[in-house]
Amino acid sequence: MNYSDDKLSPKQDDFYNALMDAHSGLPEAESHALNARLVLLMANQIGDLETLKQLLAAARDYVND
Amino acid sequence: MGYDYKPFAYVAPPGLTAPEPRHRVAIVGAGPIGLAMAIDLAQQGIPSVVLDDNNVVSVGSRAICWSKRTLEIFDRLDVGERMLEKGVTWKVGRNFHGAEEVYSFDLLPEAGHKYPAFINLQQYYVEEYLVDRARAFPDLIDLRFKNKVTGHRDNGDFVVLTVETPDGDYSIEAEYYIACDGAGSPTRTRMGLDFTGQTFQEQFLIADIEMQDSPFGDSDVPERWFWFDPPFHPGKSALLHMQPDNIYRIDLQLDVDADGKAEAAEEKVIPRIKAIVGEKPFKLDWVSVYKFRCIKLDRFVHNRVIFVGDSAHVVSPFGARGGNGGIQDVDNLGWKLAAVLKGNAPEALIETYHEERSHGSAENILNSSRATNFMTPKTPVEALFRAETLRLAHKYSFARRLLNSGRLSQPCSLEGMALQTPGIAPLEPGFAMLDAPLRSAAGGETWLLSEVQGQFTLVGFGEVQMPVVDGLRRIGINQLETADFPHFTTVDGHGTRRYGSERAYLFRPDGHVCATFVAPTAHDVQAAMARALGAQLRQEIAA
Ligand SMILES: Cc1cc2nc3c(=O)[nH]c(=O)nc-3n(C[C@H](O)[C@H](O)[C@H](O)COP(=O)(O)OP(=O)(O)OC[C@H]3O[C@@H](n4cnc5c(N)ncnc54)[C@H](O)[C@@H]3O)c2cc1C
């Protein structure tokens, strides 16, 4: 799988702005909870377990980087 | 060498001794926008009086980046070539995270344009060139320095202005009052117009330095360099640009609670700059600390008082949308005001300046505030997303595109607005024209830009009918030379690639497409031109 494919542009700024808006005004703990819910919702939307495992590994790859 | 400021002479205005005949247009403010406005009107035979409280060009280099569209408009005002010659042309931008480059862009990978994507040129040069150009119209442009407008009253079909000079006060009348008095517009304040919007808490240190050696590594080619979290300025952002005369612009983000005055002190600035340029010798030219705002007026047109440029809208400079946006205002208003004053269009046409440019300004504000927000995360979670986007950007292209160090000024599209006749074509109604190199029948080289801008023009690409319409200029491209209008051929096919073939485009005087045709009849073209001149607006008002 190729995560390098850019599927967000040309709307990337709209997305980023909407993401920031979703967090707007929340205490930090609430923001982290929102992020957790968002990951779960996105995971369900992606659906495919193999893809999800690869994405988890790609994100995990940065720990201790 | 630093810029040599030559004060403009103050001349006692006639109004001090005897009432002046009513002026057609009074332009308040001789910044880049007021000056460009006067030239645009003069080129169409409309006289104006320009009043400025000061007598020198912009002190300090404020605007430096001028976009392709601005240069194309300045080409029409006959200062574009001079700006291009003096300016520094750049097209590559690089974004760094820490010490590592993560993303670069090439702004104009395409050949076949008279002007590049961007040049850098100090605002004082731009104003100097505009003043020189304005002086070419001694009968049409009455430039008055040290004339401060202190009051105005809109009487319905003319405006009365009170003006203060070193020799005392006087008043004049004008049919239209164009407020080009800048971000702090006293006109706006007098009218009590709301001007609130987003103010960013972060402060930015802006410094211009003179330096012989290039800071752009080995390549020595002028570029735009932007750093997130650079080693020399941890946790903040920095921007570097080259200007003519070996002057470099450095923008440094400061802490929210930084003491602006202390930060602008030489002993504080010099070490910050040394951290960037190293031991290369340099001299400080100008230093200033700013807080940026993104705000626009709700309405740009208030009966006979019209706001143009920074008086109508201000943005943070990331994306260079301030002055560039203002020049598009001038381009949009100039031909409309001239048509109304000549009796060729209803007064309602002026309202469409608001419709079209308020939209453009909202787009500029959206882009500028998003870039500034990205640069200045406001909460721990915003900072977290920003930091992780930067980390991902080293590896993933989608994350690189999320990095926002300013989305550079683009001409705004007027698609779907009242003056445009809807249509489908490679370049749709509402878009600003795209330039293309042309060759005339006699073999001379020219640009589509030069042939089209300045008046309504019907351009036929390939074999297409070209009806005669009163007041409309016609141009044929890649056509058999049978008719009695100028013919050209495209060079390297750029024109046909951008516009297609076997079709005609109707351009407004500001070079925006207002209609396209496959088989135009005189009636259709006439109707589209009338619509662009506000004929439908007249009907709506009558109805
Ligand atoms: C640090 C910085 C960087 C920038 N970089 C860029 C850039 O790279 N590209 C870009 O496009 N833009 C940039 N801008 C924005 C740009 O400088 C402005 O958009 C531009 O100057 C607006 O022009 P203006 O004529 O509307 O207003 P101004 O240039 O402010 O001119 C207003 C004029 O009105 C006069 N005036 C005011 N009150 C009165 C009165 N009562 N009577 C008579 N005259 C009066 C003033 O003296 C002045 O001459 C930048 C701005 C800053 C601060």
Side-chain angles (χ1 to χ4, degrees), chain B residues 156-225:
Chain B
D157 55 1
F158 68 98
V159 181
V160 184
L161 295 77
T162 324
V163 188
E164 189 185 289
T165 74
D167 295 325
D169 294 359
Y170 69 104
S171 73
I172 53 168
E173 296 175 358
E175 288 173 57
Y176 282 90
Y177 177 115
I178 316 291
C180 305
D181 47 359
S185 171
T187 308
R188 204 179 56 217
T189 310
R190 253 192 319 269
M191 291 170 71
L193 301 175
D194 185 39
F195 201 61
T196 45
Q198 189 173 13
T199 300
F200 295 90
Q201 290 311 309
E202 272 78 6
Q203 305 184 72
F204 288 83
L205 175 79
I206 316 265
D208 282 344
I209 62 166
E210 205 179 316
M211 186 169 70
Q212 295 308 310
D213 301 329
S214 164
F216 294 109
D218 302 330
S219 73
D220 205 12
V221 179
E223 299 184 345
R224 174 190 195 262
W225 284 13

Side-chain angles (χ1 to χ4, degrees), chain B residues 27-35 51-58 61-67 70 118-121 123 127 144 147-151 163 177 179-187 190 206 241 249 251 286 288 290 292 308-327 409:
Chain B
I27 296 172
V28 182
I33 305 308
L35 291 166
L51 306 151
D52 195 276
D53 59 352
N54 203 346
N55 67 343
V56 282
V57 293
S58 172
S61 164
R62 293 192 285 155
I64 56 166
C65 303
W66 304 95
S67 72
T70 293
F118 269 93
I119 66 160
N120 287 352
L121 182 63
Q123 185 160 336
E127 292 184 17
R144 300 185 185 179
N147 275 243
K148 179 180 182 176
V149 177
T150 54
V163 188
Y177 177 115
C180 305
D181 47 359
S185 171
T187 308
R190 253 192 319 269
I206 316 265
H241 265 291
R249 160 70 52 90
D251 288 27
W286 178 68
S288 196
Y290 283 92
F292 294 119
V308 183
D310 273 16
S311 68
H313 45 73
V314 291
V315 293
S316 60
F318 306 103
R321 289 166 180 267
N324 287 305
I327 295 300
S409 174

Side-chain angles (χ1 to χ4, degrees), chain B residues 106-119:
Chain B
D106 186 343
L107 285 170
L108 196 68
E110 222 183 47
H113 294 266
K114 177 168 182 182
Y115 289 98
F118 269 93
I119 66 160

Side-chain angles (χ1 to χ4, degrees), chain B residues 381-414:
Chain B
V381 168
E382 284 191 19
L384 183 63
F385 271 109
R386 223 282 297 267
E388 296 310 310
T389 305
L390 281 161
R391 290 176 84 198
L392 289 171
H394 294 259
K395 191 161 161 193
Y396 300 104
S397 68
F398 87 90
R400 288 198 272 281
R401 302 235 169 82
L402 285 171
L403 300 187
N404 191 345
S405 69
R407 305 290 182 219
L408 290 163
S409 174
Q410 293 288 330
C412 121
S413 165
L414 310 173

